[in-house]
Amino acid sequence: MPENALTLLELNLSIREALTAAFPDSYWIIGEIGEINVNYSGHCYLELIEKGTDSDQIVAKARATIWSSTFRMLKPYFETTTGQTLTTGLKILVKGSVEYHELYGLSINIKDIDPSYTLGDLARKKLEIIKRLEYEGVINMNKELALPLVPQHIAIISSKTAAGYGDFVNHLNNNPNRFAINHTLFPAIMQGNEAESSIVNALDKIYKEHQKYDAVVIIRGGGSQSDLSCFNNYWLAYNIAQFPIPVLTGIGHERDESIADMVAHTKLKTPTAVADFIVSRISAFDFSLDELNQEFSSKVLSLLDSQKNRISNLTDQLPSLIRFRMSGISHNLEMTTQRYETSVNKLLLSHKQQLLNSLMNFKSSTLKLLLHKNQVLEKTDSSLKFIIKPYFERQNHRLEMAEKTNNFLNPRNILKRGYSLTYCNGKLVKETEGLKNNDVIETHLYEGKITSTVSYITTTKNKSEK
């Protein structure tokens, strides 16, 4: 074992002496609360952290302690001044001394805290978020939406058990004019570290069926500024600003305006104020309807009176107007009749003349046609005389020739020249074939006939003829 070896206690005591010598005074230290716990004895134990300039990465960390005697004074002073509770994520400026305990290590003993720094930091963060929303062009998008004149279908984002939610629903359901206002709760956590994501999730659920609603109402029953710090969150404000239907806020701020209020369509202080706003808007519309109804009735009555007077005046003037009108009509009728008769007479004369002209033309045409036909007939008659006579002479000659031929070929004239015709069984016998002995045959002469019986048959037909 080396002669100069130290025990751990000796080392830690040496570190303690060195640190005490190096950091003899108290120092103002800027840090963000990473963790904070208050034990049963009232001592407050913190973990201070520092994040990178351009990221959320922790670049430094140290334990800190506020002893109960100091914490009892600092806590109310800080919260009264800033409106914020000492909580995780809060940036603070503390005055403390560096202490090193040989058993528990390095720690900062906080003796004082400057609330003005925290106020400035919160204001700076809020201003940065506002500028970012302006730069992105979304900060006024929800304000530009038209809120219906009669918002009767409301989507509510609130804690179900919050007194503010109960007040809001009570005011809607028991409005003095008994307007029917439908409302649906989308429960959300309304304070603390989980509030941002919970409210954004509720907005996402409403977005899926936003056509059913006229407006979204975000309400809670008030609280400290630290409770409401979630409404200064960028992502929540970004979602509210771009929501497709108007968003009304009533989250209980009494002194300051949150960024959620700034980007919402309409901000009101409390849930009850939001309910009154909705009811008063419907009442205003109902009142305007009554006024329109009265104005309409008044104008209708006035118009009826005016028309009644006009009809009465017209009724009084009607007989004279009718007489005047009838006189005018009668005069026009006479003039029309005269013009009609004149026109008819002219028309008749014109047609009569046309008929006469047509008749004369017809007679002239007919006469010309008859003369032409007569001439044609005369020419035809002359032609027939030259044609028919030779024709009949030729036909008469042909008849004489036919008569001579007929006489020459007449069987009787042939018989007269000495020829005869023989029949057997009524058939003319032209050859011996088919005859047999004892057949009875008839021989026809020019004058008379002979009946005989075949006794002998001789055939004279030449072989070349067969």
Side-chain angles (χ1 to χ4, degrees):
M1 179 176 125
E3 293 180 355
N4 57 351
L6 299 174
T7 65
L8 179 60
L9 178 59
E10 290 172 339
L11 175 62
N12 285 352
L13 287 174
S14 296
I15 294 173
R16 179 178 179 178
E17 290 176 359
L19 286 175
T20 302
F23 301 96
D25 301 321
S26 295
Y27 304 92
W28 284 103
I29 306 164
I30 298 171
E32 181 178 323
I33 299 176
E35 290 182 11
I36 182 168
N37 293 293
V38 180
N39 69 5
Y40 67 94
S41 60
H43 301 312
C44 179
Y45 298 98
L46 304 96
E47 182 181 66
L48 296 178
I49 60 174
E50 182 176 347
K51 296 178 179 176
T53 306
D54 301 325
S55 68
D56 287 336
Q57 185 176 2
I58 298 174
V59 297
K61 183 187 298 183
R63 290 191 301 111
T65 305
I66 308 176
W67 301 115
S68 60
S69 57
T70 305
F71 190 63
R72 281 196 297 271
M73 293 185 293
L74 290 183
K75 181 176 184 295
Y77 169 64
F78 179 84
E79 292 180 350
T80 303
T81 305
T82 64
Q84 301 282 334
T85 57
L86 289 167
T87 186
T88 302
L90 201 63
K91 215 165 185 179
I92 56 177
L93 175 62
V94 296
K95 185 177 184 180
S97 59
V98 178
E99 294 184 358
Y100 186 84
H101 190 275
E102 55 274 16
L103 184 60
Y104 301 109
L106 182 68
S107 176
I108 298 172
N109 181 19
I110 296 175
K111 300 173 183 177
D112 198 1
I113 187 169
D114 184 357
S116 61
Y117 174 82
T118 302
L119 284 174
D121 183 66
L122 291 174
R124 178 185 57 79
K125 286 183 177 177
K126 185 175 179 181
L127 183 59
E128 287 177 353
I129 293 173
I130 293 170
K131 288 183 176 178
R132 182 178 176 183
L133 293 170
E134 289 175 341
Y135 175 78
E136 293 170 342
V138 302
I139 193 166
N140 292 317
M141 287 183 67
N142 198 259
K143 294 181 184 299
E144 294 170 355
L145 298 176
L147 180 66
L149 295 174
V150 184
Q152 284 187 290
H153 304 280
I154 309 298
I156 307 170
I157 297 177
S158 178
S159 170
K160 187 176 183 179
T161 57
Y165 170 67
D167 293 341
F168 178 80
V169 172
N170 184 52
H171 271 66
L172 287 188
N173 293 343
N174 298 297
N175 66 83
N177 293 314
R178 300 296 181 186
F179 296 130
I181 303 173
N182 301 316
H183 50 80
T184 304
L185 175 65
F186 291 82
I189 298 171
M190 302 303 288
Q191 70 180 49
N193 294 332
E194 299 179 7
E196 171 205 351
S197 60
S198 181
I199 296 172
V200 171
N201 288 336
L203 285 172
D204 289 342
K205 292 178 182 176
I206 298 170
Y207 177 79
K208 293 176 181 176
E209 50 184 10
H210 68 275
Q211 295 88 349
K212 296 168 53 177
Y213 301 103
D214 298 322
V216 176
V217 170
I218 300 176
I219 52 175
R220 56 157 294 146
S224 65
Q225 285 197 353
S226 61
D227 292 338
L228 305 176
S229 60
C230 60
F231 294 101
N232 286 323
N233 178 273
Y234 164 77
W235 188 239
L236 175 59
Y238 187 80
N239 276 271
I240 292 174
Q242 297 188 85
F243 208 71
I245 57 176
V247 178
L248 313 180
T249 57
I251 54 182
H253 277 282
E254 295 183 356
R255 292 184 301 178
D256 297 327
E257 180 183 52
S258 70
I259 298 177
D261 289 326
M262 295 177 65
V263 299
H265 182 279
T266 302
K267 68 153 188 174
L268 297 130
K269 287 186 177 181
T270 63
T272 303
V274 177
D276 290 342
F277 172 79
I278 294 172
V279 172
S280 64
R281 190 173 180 85
I282 300 174
S283 296
F285 181 76
D286 185 58
F287 180 73
S288 66
L289 286 181
D290 288 340
E291 285 188 330
L292 287 174
N293 183 39
Q294 292 177 6
E295 183 180 357
F296 177 75
S297 298
S298 175
K299 288 188 175 179
V300 168
L301 290 174
S302 175
L303 181 62
L304 288 174
D305 288 341
S306 173
Q307 293 300 318
K308 185 178 179 182
N309 292 332
R310 184 168 176 269
I311 292 172
S312 178
N313 293 332
L314 289 174
T315 303
D316 295 339
Q317 298 173 5
L318 188 60
S320 59
L321 289 174
I322 291 175
R323 286 194 296 274
F324 177 75
R325 183 63 178 164
M326 291 298 294
S327 176
I329 293 173
S330 177
H331 176 71
N332 291 335
L333 185 60
E334 289 178 358
M335 295 298 294
T336 302
T337 303
Q338 290 178 3
R339 287 197 297 271
Y340 177 73
E341 289 177 351
T342 302
S343 299
V344 169
N345 289 333
K346 288 182 178 178
L347 183 63
L348 289 174
L349 287 173
S350 174
H351 283 286
K352 184 177 180 181
Q353 186 62 44
Q354 289 180 2
L355 286 173
L356 289 173
N357 292 338
S358 299
L359 181 59
M360 291 176 67
N361 291 333
F362 177 75
K363 287 181 176 179
S364 177
S365 300
T366 304
L367 183 58
K368 289 180 179 178
L369 180 62
L370 289 173
L371 289 173
H372 175 69
K373 293 296 181 182
N374 187 44
Q375 292 174 353
V376 171
L377 286 174
E378 287 178 351
K379 290 181 179 178
T380 304
D381 182 55
S382 299
S383 299
L384 285 175
K385 287 178 179 178
F386 291 103
I387 295 171
I388 290 175
K389 186 178 179 180
Y391 174 77
F392 279 106
E393 288 176 352
R394 287 195 302 272
Q395 293 302 321
N396 188 42
H397 177 72
R398 290 179 63 184
L399 287 173
E400 290 175 356
M401 292 302 293
E403 184 179 4
K404 289 178 178 179
T405 302
N406 186 48
N407 289 331
F408 180 76
L409 296 177
N410 189 331
R412 285 188 60 80
N413 291 330
I414 294 172
L415 293 176
K416 189 176 181 180
R417 288 197 299 269
Y419 294 96
S420 63
L421 297 173
T422 303
Y423 294 89
C424 181
N425 296 326
K427 294 183 178 180
L428 182 64
V429 178
K430 297 181 180 179
E431 56 187 2
T432 57
E433 187 175 356
L435 292 177
K436 58 185 182 289
N437 294 332
N438 298 322
D439 282 345
V440 177
I441 60 174
E442 289 182 349
T443 303
H444 292 253
L445 305 175
Y446 176 71
E447 289 180 351
K449 64 180 180 179
I450 301 170
T451 303
S452 55
T453 302
V454 178
S455 61
Y456 182 75
I457 300 172
T458 303
T459 301
T460 61
K461 188 178 294 185
N462 296 325
K463 291 181 181 180
S464 60
E465 295 176 346
K466 291 182 180 178

